[in-house]
């Protein structure tokens, strides 16, 4: 049984387009709020948290709704197509509202865009396990993560190329290009992927082998006390490192202009380095985890991010070392991101994987709701220099809670399984 890489990459186009949009949202919307509408950092942080507030309720709802949907084009595809179409239509009113100084139009367009994006993220993510046999889903998930990182990198490249060093840039070309990318990605996905056919094939494949381990695991609902303790502490760790990482990604465009003196879209080049470092790190950190375990790999990633955030806090203007530290942030985040979700679901009984996935997103989304507001208040009332120390403190907290996790780790693979994971000798 081998993973169909071409098909997985095409399925990943949905996540590719989603991440391209969110990179645009995180990079440009804070600048519009600050520079055009003169919104304070605390209120701006609240606005930037709206997507996570919506996601906290809408992602589980539309994921479950798509589970019960049945159409000629599949159960996930209608949401992917409809959500993308609505998002593309609404998002291009954002730069129009910016250019015409129409705050009401901007807010309405932003709300519709965020609602549209929330309707199809869960169905888009669920499409991969729908059409991928169970033993291959971890490998497929790495491909999906890579596609998402490439989508973000695409947006950073066009920002760095198209945002001029002027007081009031016109962001319309950026939104048009990203919306065009979203349309093309979903059209290619729809034309090539026959969801109903692939789902039927996958169900037949899974049906040939009873999942004995999964069936045996469903013996009760209560977790043992020590496993429950590990679950609580890894969920706290997830909350803390999202508090750190999301604060930096949300505010970096403003921080770069205000503290580092980077003009125009130059900040995107620095973020692109972090994204590129994450992309090239996904596969290596997976291999490292297979040798030393997930927990140790995550702790290494936390350490890399803490050192980078702590060091970056000392810079008052741009220096090439900042780019190096951002690269370390990207690699550290890859080490955390690749291994944390598998640790959570590893503690789940066979029938509870979906519920534990919900736990993961509840804690990560809660952090992404809170941290733009909290860090924004510090930026506004204390100073922009608080950003990186703020992130460093939360990484220390994540390290401490992660140290107490005793379950969910992976056992080192024997040599023959490592070769199989790399598809050597096939």
């Amino acid at each position: 049984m081998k993973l169909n890489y071409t098909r997985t990459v095409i399925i990943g186009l949905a996540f590719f387009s989603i991440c391209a949009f969110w990179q645009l949202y995180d990079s440009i919307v804070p600048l519009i709020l600050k520079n055009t509408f003169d919104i304070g950092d605390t209120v701006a942080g609240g606005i930037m948290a709206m997507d996570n507030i919506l996601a906290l309720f809408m992602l589980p709802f539309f994921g479950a709704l798509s589970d019960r949907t049945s159409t000629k084009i599949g159960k996930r595809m209608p949401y992917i197509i409809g959500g993308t179409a609505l998002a593309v239509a609404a998002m291009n009113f954002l730069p129009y509202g910016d250019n015409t100084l129409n705050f009401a139009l901007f807010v309405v367009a932003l709300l519709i865009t965020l609602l549209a994006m929330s309707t199809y993220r869960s169905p888009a993510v669920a499409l991969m396990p729908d059409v991928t046999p169970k033993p291959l889903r971890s490998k497929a998930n790495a491909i999906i993560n890579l596609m998402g990182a490439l989508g973000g990198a695409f947006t950073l490249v066009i920002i760095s190329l198209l945002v001029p060093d002027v007081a009031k840039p016109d962001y319309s070309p950026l939104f048009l290009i990203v919306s065009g990318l979203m349309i093309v990605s979903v059209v290619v996905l729809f034309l090539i992927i026959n969801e109903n056919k692939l789902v039927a094939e996958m169900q037949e494949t899974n049906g040939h082998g009873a999942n004995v381990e999964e069936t045996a695991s469903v013996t009760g609902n209560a977790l043992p006390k020590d496993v429950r303790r590990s679950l609580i502490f890894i969920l706290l760790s997830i909350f803390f490192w999202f508090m750190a990482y999301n604060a930096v990604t949300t505010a970096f465009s403003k921080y770069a202009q205000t503290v580092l003196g980077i003009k125009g879209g130059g900040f995107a080049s620095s973020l692109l380095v972090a994204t590129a470092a994450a992309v090239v790190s996904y596969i290596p950190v997976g291999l490292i985890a297979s040798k030393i375990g997930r927990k140790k790999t995550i702790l290494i990633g936390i350490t890399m991010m803490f050192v980078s955030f702590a060091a970056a806090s000392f810079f008052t203007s741009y220096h090439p070392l900042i780019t190096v530290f951002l690269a370390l942030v990207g690699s550290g985040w890859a080490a955390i991101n690749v291994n944390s979700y598998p640790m959570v679901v590893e503690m789940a009984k066979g029938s509870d994987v979906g519920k534990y996935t919900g736990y993961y997103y509840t804690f990560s989304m809660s952090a992404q709701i809170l941290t733009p507001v909290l860090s924004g208040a510090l930026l506004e009332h204390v100073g922009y220099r608080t950003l990186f120390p703020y992130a460093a403190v939360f990484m220390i907290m994540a390290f401490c809670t992660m140290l107490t996790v005793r379950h969910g780790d992976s056992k080192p693979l024997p040599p023959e399984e490592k070769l199989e994971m790399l598809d050597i000798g096939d």
Side-chain angles (χ1 to χ4, degrees):
M1 184 184 296
K2 292 180 61 176
L3 180 67
N4 187 324
Y5 285 97
T6 301
R7 187 173 73 194
T8 306
V9 167
I10 295 170
I11 291 171
L13 286 173
F15 198 56
F16 174 86
S17 68
I18 289 170
C19 291
F21 168 81
W22 287 120
Q23 186 63 68
L24 182 68
Y25 172 80
D26 285 338
S27 297
I28 301 302
V29 171
L31 295 179
I32 294 175
L33 293 173
K34 178 180 177 63
N35 298 330
T36 301
F37 299 115
D38 197 27
I39 302 295
D41 291 309
T42 305
V43 176
I47 294 174
M48 293 302 295
M50 279 199 311
D51 64 306
N52 299 307
I53 295 172
L54 291 171
L56 195 60
F57 302 101
M58 295 184 68
L59 294 190
F61 174 77
F62 280 97
L65 185 63
S66 65
D67 283 339
R68 300 191 296 269
T69 299
S70 178
T71 72
K72 292 182 179 179
I73 60 174
K75 59 182 180 179
R76 315 295 185 189
M77 205 68 75
Y79 297 93
I80 296 173
I81 295 172
T84 301
L86 182 57
V88 165
M91 65 187 282
N92 283 287
F93 284 96
L94 296 175
Y96 181 78
D98 174 42
N99 292 336
T100 59
L101 306 181
N102 190 331
F103 185 64
L105 174 63
F106 180 85
V107 170
V108 171
L110 183 63
L111 181 60
I112 295 174
T113 302
L114 295 179
L115 286 169
M117 295 300 298
S118 296
T119 63
Y120 77 97
R121 179 168 180 168
S122 287
V125 172
L127 182 59
M128 182 277 288
D130 280 347
V131 301
T132 305
K134 293 178 181 179
L136 303 178
R137 287 175 183 172
S138 293
K139 190 183 292 186
N141 194 48
I143 303 298
I144 301 299
N145 280 329
L146 283 171
M147 293 296 291
L150 290 173
F154 173 88
T155 298
L156 289 172
V157 168
I158 65 169
I159 289 174
S160 64
L161 294 176
L162 296 182
V163 176
D165 181 10
V166 297
K168 185 68 176 66
D170 180 5
Y171 297 117
S172 299
L174 297 180
F175 282 83
L176 285 171
I177 291 173
V178 172
S179 60
L181 175 76
M182 294 168 69
I183 293 171
V184 171
S185 297
V186 171
V187 168
V188 172
L189 172 68
F190 174 71
L191 292 178
I192 296 179
I193 299 299
N194 186 327
E195 182 185 342
N196 285 333
K197 178 182 177 182
L198 293 179
V199 168
E201 292 176 358
M202 189 279 296
Q203 290 174 342
E204 183 179 353
T205 300
N206 284 337
H208 285 309
N211 196 333
V212 178
E213 181 180 352
E214 179 176 305
T215 303
S217 69
V218 188
T219 58
N221 293 324
L223 282 178
K225 185 179 295 185
D226 56 339
V227 179
R228 184 168 65 249
R229 184 176 183 273
S230 288
L231 176 64
I232 291 171
F233 277 104
I234 193 172
L235 291 174
L236 287 174
S237 301
I238 290 166
F239 178 83
F240 291 144
W241 62 55
F242 269 97
M243 287 288 290
Y245 182 76
N246 193 251
V248 173
T249 57
T250 300
F252 186 77
S253 58
K254 295 186 292 184
Y255 184 91
Q257 293 185 356
T258 304
V259 177
L260 302 179
I262 300 175
K263 303 301 180 183
F267 69 89
S269 298
S270 297
L271 288 178
L272 183 60
V273 171
T275 303
V279 168
V280 300
S281 298
Y282 279 127
I283 302 302
V285 297
L287 296 175
I288 291 170
S290 71
K291 294 180 180 180
I292 68 174
R294 294 170 182 153
K295 176 180 173 179
K296 289 182 180 178
T297 306
I298 290 174
L299 289 173
I300 291 171
I302 292 173
T303 303
M304 292 169 64
M305 294 182 70
F306 165 74
V307 170
S308 301
F309 290 149
S313 65
F314 291 100
F315 291 92
T316 57
S317 61
Y318 176 76
H319 189 280
L321 276 176
I322 293 176
T323 303
V324 175
F325 291 127
L326 288 174
L328 290 175
V329 168
S331 295
W333 186 245
I336 293 170
N337 208 30
V338 165
N339 293 292
S340 55
Y341 173 71
M343 286 192 73
V344 172
V345 296
E346 192 86 7
M347 300 181 209
K349 297 183 184 297
S351 61
D352 292 336
V353 171
K355 182 170 70 175
Y356 281 66
T357 302
Y359 291 159
Y360 177 91
Y361 279 110
T362 296
F363 278 77
S364 62
M365 288 296 177
S366 296
Q368 293 176 77
I369 291 168
L370 177 60
T371 199
V373 180
L374 181 57
S375 62
L378 290 173
L379 295 178
E380 181 175 6
H381 298 295
V382 180
Y384 273 74
R385 295 288 303 278
T386 61
L387 179 63
F388 284 112
Y390 171 96
V393 167
F394 276 105
M395 294 312 295
I396 293 174
M397 296 168 69
F399 189 91
C400 293
T401 52
M402 195 64 205
L403 279 176
T404 67
V405 176
R406 298 287 184 266
H407 299 82
D409 211 336
S410 55
K411 297 179 181 179
L413 291 175
E416 63 272 14
E417 290 191 28
K418 292 177 184 176
L419 292 176
E420 182 180 350
M421 184 170 66
L422 289 168
D423 282 335
I424 296 174
D426 285 344

